[in-house]
Amino acid sequence: MSAPALLFVCLGNICRSPLAEAAFRAEAAAAGLEALADSAGTAGYHIGEPPDPRAIRTAARFGIDISGYRGRQAAAADFTRFTHIFALDHANLAGLQRIAPPGHAAHLGLLLDCVAGMEGRAVADPYYGDEAGFLETWAEVSLAAKTLVSQLKA
Ligand code: 4NP
């Protein structure tokens, strides 16, 4: 079987989804899981931009450098490039459903649906809050990343 390819999607691709990508990459590397990971936004507001400085600082607290990540917009072609596409919230899940090609084979769902007890929940959006919100986001995406890695290894 070829390696799984996971795409994490929020609105701007500068706060939540880069943190989800970073958390997943770290967990996959620690577990020796071979997987591709990327992130994107449903909106095109921040194409080509680095993550929000607060997201960069948050990842750095956990020893991960995401300053080289660059924003991009999710596209229909992602449904053939990725085996799993995870929306960080319901609005972005709806946005992905709008661009999904009919009959695509990718798994598409809410990221926290993979975590027992957190099904149906959105990852906290820290954009309009303070830096503490980014730690809450980190905690949620880390939990999801750990769960995904153990599921993919099983
Ligand atoms: P993200 O956060 O979707 O987690 O990257 C946001 C980024 C930008 C905006 C909103 C949320 N914005 O309105 O520009």
Side-chain angles (χ1 to χ4, degrees), residues 23 27 112 114-116 118 138-148:
E27 292 295 336
L112 290 179
C114 73
V115 182
M118 295 182 98
W138 178 260
E140 291 174 349
V141 299
S142 296
L143 193 55
K146 281 187 181 56
T147 310
L148 286 173

Side-chain angles (χ1 to χ4, degrees), residues 54-109:
R54 297 166 296 175
I56 294 175
R57 285 195 293 271
T58 300
R61 288 173 73 148
F62 297 94
I64 302 170
D65 179 11
I66 64 167
S67 63
Y69 289 16
R70 292 294 179 266
R72 74 168 181 91
Q73 190 168 14
D78 287 320
F79 286 83
T80 47
R81 292 178 50 213
F82 293 92
T83 56
H84 300 71
I85 302 180
F86 294 109
L88 281 274
D89 69 21
H90 303 80
N92 291 301
L93 178 59
L96 288 164
Q97 284 162 341
R98 278 194 290 278
I99 64 164
H104 72 84
H107 165 93
L108 174 63

